[in-house]
Amino acid sequence: MTTFRPTRRTALQFLAAGAAASALPAFAQWPDKPIKIIVTFPPGGSSDVLARLMAEQLTKKLGQPVVVDNKPGAGGTIGGVQVATAAPDGYTLMLSNTTPIALGPFTLDKPPYDPATGFSHIAYLGAAPLVIMASKPSGIKTYAEFDALARKDGRMDFGSGGPGSIGHIYGELLKKTTGINLVHVPYRGGAPMTTDLIANTIPIGIDVITSYVPFFKSGQLVPLAVTSTQRSPLMPEVPTIVELKQPKLVLENFFGLSGPAKLPADVVTRLNTACNEVLVMPEIQKKLNDLGIVAKPETVGMFNDFVKEQVSVLGPTIKGAGIKL
């Protein structure tokens, strides 16, 4: 048997190779442990559903478990802060959307983070309109009836998924724009709001359309308007807010994947590529369409430009309307 005896030169080569390997950045082997996606809302809502769908597919793409962690509260900023202050190593991400990025921070006297520069915005996933909906027992069948009844009674209660949620902000903007006296009733997520809507505890609800289509189709809830420029393919019979002569009230909820600022560029690129590969899968596109989300793969640069635009438009709008948590 021949025994390998390294020469001095060979030994030095081994040492040099070992030193080079130890000098490699920690993210060279990323990912080598589970990845967490923080959702800034309770389970069951549109962000949660999308996050779990993406987590399932990213687990297959990345070879490590991708898990969802719900951290609701304070207009999405509780979860937002956890991500903004996390280590920029690619293991803590956020299912970002309009609320924690372009709405919630501006409802606070001192925003806890800069939504444009405080994150690495990785991948745009898609968008869905909000829907203004009524309880069936309320007898409200159209947006015009809702408007007339609210003005006649002098007030109208409306529910949302929570203080500072996109439904809450939209209701306040609707109140500010139209002069209708809307009174906010906050819930801890869309599920309990749905229960009270069906029971007619509250007459009106405002939220992203995603989770409510089954209740519209069953007749338990009545959709009055969608907040986009075009009708939703899920409910093409429902008019847009533009058709109802309110073009200033167009607002869609975008969905994306973000992480702490200064994520390594190769981690961002790999995540963006993986997300875009998932979004073009026919079965995923069908599931998103069924949820009312229009998927749209984009580059990292395009997503960052989009976030900057959203922040520059919605931030001043919220401040100007005096909306506070």
Side-chain angles (χ1 to χ4, degrees), residues 223-245:
L224 307 179
V226 292
T227 63
S228 48
T229 57
Q230 297 182 336
R231 294 194 177 199
S232 169
L234 290 179
M235 302 293 294
E237 69 277 15
V238 181
T240 69
I241 202 70
V242 174
E243 293 174 72
L244 298 170
K245 312 301 181 185

Side-chain angles (χ1 to χ4, degrees), residues 83-172:
V83 177
T85 57
D89 55 12
Y91 294 102
T92 302
L93 307 173
M94 176 172 70
L95 198 290
S96 52
N97 65 21
T98 306
T99 297
I101 297 299
L103 300 180
F106 301 104
T107 64
L108 304 174
D109 290 330
K110 186 177 181 180
Y113 48 76
D114 185 314
T117 63
F119 299 94
S120 297
H121 295 296
I122 299 164
Y124 180 91
L125 303 178
L130 282 69
V131 60
I132 304 169
M133 53 193 152
S135 162
K136 184 175 181 180
S138 72
I140 300 171
K141 298 182 178 64
T142 66
Y143 178 88
E145 291 178 358
F146 151 65
D147 183 282
L149 184 60
R151 295 182 190 279
K152 177 184 176 183
D153 292 347
R155 64 170 282 169
M156 179 75 72
D157 291 348
F158 79 96
S160 81
S165 67
I166 192 169
H168 174 203
I169 300 299
Y170 192 86
E172 297 294 343

Side-chain angles (χ1 to χ4, degrees), residues 9-317:
R9 180 179 179 182
T10 306
L12 289 173
Q13 288 174 336
F14 277 128
L15 288 171
S22 64
L24 288 173
F27 54 81
Q29 300 301 319
W30 183 91
D32 61 3
K33 63 180 182 179
I35 298 165
K36 177 169 62 179
I37 298 178
I38 288 180
V39 175
T40 61
F41 295 98
S46 53
S47 289
D48 181 68
V49 172
L50 177 56
R52 294 180 189 279
L53 180 63
M54 293 301 297
E56 179 184 5
Q57 297 302 320
L58 290 176
T59 294
K60 299 174 185 177
K61 294 271 182 192
L62 301 175
Q64 287 288 341
V66 181
V67 299
V68 172
D69 187 10
N70 298 86
K71 296 292 182 182
T77 60
I78 288 178
V81 167
Q82 290 198 19
V83 177
T85 57
D89 55 12
Y91 294 102
T92 302
L93 307 173
M94 176 172 70
L95 198 290
S96 52
N97 65 21
T98 306
T99 297
I101 297 299
L103 300 180
F106 301 104
T107 64
L108 304 174
D109 290 330
K110 186 177 181 180
Y113 48 76
D114 185 314
T117 63
F119 299 94
S120 297
H121 295 296
I122 299 164
Y124 180 91
L125 303 178
L130 282 69
V131 60
I132 304 169
M133 53 193 152
S135 162
K136 184 175 181 180
S138 72
I140 300 171
K141 298 182 178 64
T142 66
Y143 178 88
E145 291 178 358
F146 151 65
D147 183 282
L149 184 60
R151 295 182 190 279
K152 177 184 176 183
D153 292 347
R155 64 170 282 169
M156 179 75 72
D157 291 348
F158 79 96
S160 81
S165 67
I166 192 169
H168 174 203
I169 300 299
Y170 192 86
E172 297 294 343
L173 293 175
L174 180 62
K175 174 181 178 179
K176 184 83 171 180
T177 302
T178 64
I180 298 173
N181 183 22
L182 296 175
V183 179
H184 182 226
V185 180
Y187 288 85
R188 292 185 59 83
M193 181 185 72
T194 301
T195 299
D196 273 9
L197 266 175
I198 291 173
N200 201 33
T201 303
I202 53 171
I204 297 293
I206 304 175
D207 204 353
V208 179
I209 194 172
T210 310
S211 304
Y212 299 91
V213 173
F215 300 101
F216 299 146
K217 291 184 176 179
S218 69
Q220 293 174 286
L221 298 176
V222 182
L224 307 179
V226 292
T227 63
S228 48
T229 57
Q230 297 182 336
R231 294 194 177 199
S232 169
L234 290 179
M235 302 293 294
E237 69 277 15
V238 181
T240 69
I241 202 70
V242 174
E243 293 174 72
L244 298 170
K245 312 301 181 185
Q246 295 292 346
K248 293 182 179 180
L249 287 172
V250 172
L251 179 63
E252 290 187 282
N253 189 41
F254 80 82
F255 302 91
L257 188 69
S258 302
K262 299 181 180 180
L263 277 182
D266 59 342
V267 171
V268 172
T269 298
R270 188 172 178 192
L271 280 167
N272 178 269
T273 299
C275 286
N276 287 344
E277 289 174 351
V278 171
L279 293 177
V280 298
M281 295 167 62
E283 63 271 29
I284 298 301
Q285 288 193 337
K286 183 180 185 305
K287 288 181 179 179
L288 293 182
N289 287 337
D290 289 345
L291 291 169
I293 299 172
V294 178
K296 187 180 179 184
E298 290 188 350
T299 65
V300 174
M302 291 168 67
F303 184 31
N304 276 272
D305 288 344
F306 174 83
V307 168
K308 290 176 184 176
E309 181 183 9
Q310 288 280 296
V311 169
S312 67
V313 172
L314 293 175
T317 299

